[in-house]
Amino acid sequence: MKPEDSALVAQLCAARAGLNVDPDKTYLLESRLAPLARRENFGSIPELITALRASRDDRLAWALVEAMASSETEFFRDRQPFALFRDDVLPTLARLRGGQPIRIWSAACGTGQEAYSLAMVVEDQRALHPGMTVEIFGSDLSERALEKAQSGLYTQFEIQRGLPVRQLVQHFEKAEDNWQLSPRIRQMVRWRRVNLASELNTSGRFDVIFCRYVLSAMVEPMRQRLLENMARALAPDGFLFLGQNETVNALDEAFQPVSGRPGLYARNPDYKIAA
Amino acid sequence: MKTCLVVDDSRVIRKVARRILEDIGFEIAEAGDGVEALAWCRAMMPDAILLDWNMPVMNGIDFIRRLRQEPGGDQPRVVFCTVENDLARIREALDAGAAEYIMKPFDGDIIASKFAEAGVI
């Protein structure tokens, strides 16, 4: 790729989604953009970029940003956050909320493995918390990722990364060469396209947000806005999960790290968001 | 150092698995079928066993059932690694005492993930 083409891609990703794309990583850019160029019937990536410059096609620009935003994910990624959710967060919220729904948001959920992992945990814990009701939402920037998430259909390779075999046996069915989550688990999650870099109107709606490996993928100026969005979306006594090595430094007045629980933050109930 | 017995009738698979498991930190022994594997286990129980299903002489499912009757045979964490990918087969393996189950083809990430899940790393 020409440096000016890579720079344009990086600029579009930062402006539209707050994504930090290194224009020097041409291999990464090309591996993400080549399938898009093929889908859009361009002969090559340079042709795609030329068309984008010439037409200012909004749909195409978003397709490019979505292609760059897609990232690898897996069931029960890092394992520990899901154990924390199961052993600490869910019992606490089940007690506090009583029969009121516990609302969980898997932000930037990609192809859905995180949201479904949470759904499986909830389903497996249901007997311990009689009367508990849970609503799970998965959001991503990419429509294509959400389509796959909604199908609940995964390859043999995908179901072997992070998913314990007992969960596979309990919650999946074989679908020819692939594996599909049971209707019961699929029905527990609702999906929606959300751009985390935009202003979100989700005031206090969620009790738990999993927003992992998003901050670290964003340009510096966007991190504060993302955390403001998370603070706004969380209930005053809600919890935020971040990825390993991610911190709330860009907005540390809004969240308190939960002692001895790396990656888990409690919303500071006194933090007031500017209107 | 933890020990892992790799049981597979394919020398190529054993070699690939050995390289991956040595990188994770296991000391490796190899067996080409269930009978050979039982002999290994009677001499020294490994911490983990990576076990193929379809093998000559004694297959993987017969091996694990025999293993579990041996003195100390309840100790090794057994991870199946096989082309068998039906739910019924997976349930059969779990019922026989397998801790985890890998469907071939596999890579280093899958082995590491499954061994972590099996509680052996």
Side-chain angles (χ1 to χ4, degrees):
Chain A
M1 284 179 76
K2 290 186 209 159
E4 59 268 33
D5 288 353
S6 304
L8 176 71
V9 172
Q11 192 189 337
L12 269 174
C13 290
R16 293 194 171 219
L19 278 177
N20 185 16
V21 171
D22 183 347
D24 293 334
K25 289 188 177 165
T26 47
Y27 169 76
L28 178 71
L29 268 67
E30 286 170 1
S31 69
R32 296 281 176 83
L33 296 181
L36 175 65
R38 276 196 300 275
R39 271 203 312 278
E40 297 286 339
N41 296 318
F42 293 105
S44 64
I45 297 172
E47 278 183 33
L48 164 76
I49 305 285
T50 304
L52 198 59
R53 277 208 175 88
S55 68
R56 307 262 169 194
D57 180 341
D58 192 56
R59 187 199 60 83
L60 190 58
W62 269 117
L64 180 143
V65 173
E66 289 183 20
M68 292 308 304
S70 69
S71 61
E72 286 276 308
T73 182
E74 61 187 78
F75 289 102
F76 296 96
R77 184 177 180 183
D78 300 336
R79 297 174 78 215
Q80 180 65 11
F82 296 92
L84 275 180
F85 171 74
R86 180 193 63 210
D87 299 335
D88 289 359
V89 172
L90 193 63
T92 300
L93 288 170
R95 196 177 61 246
L96 290 174
R97 296 292 181 267
Q100 291 295 107
I102 298 167
R103 297 168 67 95
I104 302 164
W105 179 16
S106 169
C109 66
T111 43
Q113 285 93 327
E114 182 178 79
Y116 283 135
S117 299
L118 292 165
M120 286 186 271
V121 170
V122 168
E123 186 64 14
D124 294 346
Q125 297 295 304
R126 220 178 263 290
L128 294 176
H129 309 292
M132 173 180 75
T133 56
V134 175
E135 296 173 356
I136 301 173
F137 299 84
S139 80
D140 200 81
L141 186 66
S142 164
E143 294 278 10
R144 286 173 61 80
L146 287 172
E147 275 170 30
K148 177 172 165 109
Q150 197 149 19
S151 76
L153 203 58
Y154 296 95
T155 65
Q156 183 167 293
F157 183 75
E158 288 166 326
I159 54 96
Q160 295 205 91
R161 295 183 69 205
L163 183 72
V165 70
R166 282 182 170 74
Q167 302 271 19
L168 177 78
V169 167
Q170 198 172 344
H171 298 300
F172 283 78
E173 293 152 7
K174 194 100 184 284
E176 294 178 0
D177 290 337
N178 295 317
W179 294 80
Q180 188 166 36
L181 272 151
S182 66
R184 188 171 177 81
I185 297 293
R186 291 210 311 275
Q187 284 160 10
M188 288 175 69
V189 188
R190 279 183 248 165
W191 309 96
R192 194 176 154 196
R193 183 182 183 276
V194 172
N195 179 6
L196 295 171
S198 62
E199 290 278 345
L200 300 184
N201 181 22
T202 49
S203 187
R205 289 181 63 205
F206 295 99
D207 301 296
V208 185
I209 301 177
F210 273 65
C211 186
R212 303 166 64 229
Y213 304 106
V214 181
L215 274 172
S216 51
M218 286 199 147
V219 292
E220 186 68 41
M222 200 53 78
R223 293 180 185 172
Q224 184 177 343
R225 175 185 282 190
L226 174 67
L227 286 167
E228 280 170 358
N229 277 335
M230 297 295 108
R232 191 177 293 118
L234 269 178
D237 56 354
F239 296 95
L240 173 69
F241 282 86
L242 296 180
Q244 283 175 5
N245 305 319
E246 290 180 326
T247 70
V248 293
N249 287 353
L251 193 70
D252 56 3
E253 62 272 32
F255 302 96
Q256 295 156 341
V258 178
S259 177
R261 304 283 186 267
L264 177 60
Y265 296 84
R267 167 88 156 76
N268 178 358
D270 297 329
Y271 175 73
K272 298 278 184 275
I273 299 150
Chain B
M1 189 179 262
K2 286 188 175 176
T3 53
C4 181
L5 177 62
V6 176
V7 190
D8 200 300
D9 58 339
S10 159
R11 189 181 297 178
V12 175
I13 296 284
R14 291 202 305 269
K15 191 174 169 184
V16 171
R18 168 188 281 274
R19 197 178 307 148
I20 292 169
L21 287 161
E22 281 179 344
D23 282 349
I24 299 174
F26 281 98
E27 192 176 328
I28 302 299
E30 295 181 22
D33 62 58
V35 170
E36 208 181 314
L38 263 185
W40 264 109
C41 291
R42 283 174 182 145
M44 194 197 75
M45 279 297 169
D47 297 296
I49 300 174
L50 186 73
L51 180 63
D52 190 15
W53 191 300
N54 300 303
M55 292 178 291
V57 191
M58 183 192 289
N59 68 24
I61 199 75
D62 288 341
F63 162 77
I64 188 172
R65 287 176 182 143
R66 292 281 295 274
L67 171 74
R68 294 311 191 202
Q69 292 167 5
E70 295 287 323
D74 56 341
Q75 292 302 310
R77 307 291 283 165
V78 175
V79 177
F80 263 92
C81 184
T82 169
V83 293
E84 298 289 342
N85 60 7
D86 282 343
L87 268 175
R89 288 289 202 191
I90 300 173
R91 286 200 180 97
E92 196 179 347
L94 294 176
D95 289 346
E100 262 299 342
Y101 197 101
I102 294 169
M103 290 170 258
K104 292 174 181 172
F106 60 87
D107 64 10
D109 285 346
I110 289 174
I111 290 216
S113 162
K114 292 293 186 179
F115 271 63
E117 203 53 53
V120 78
I121 53 172

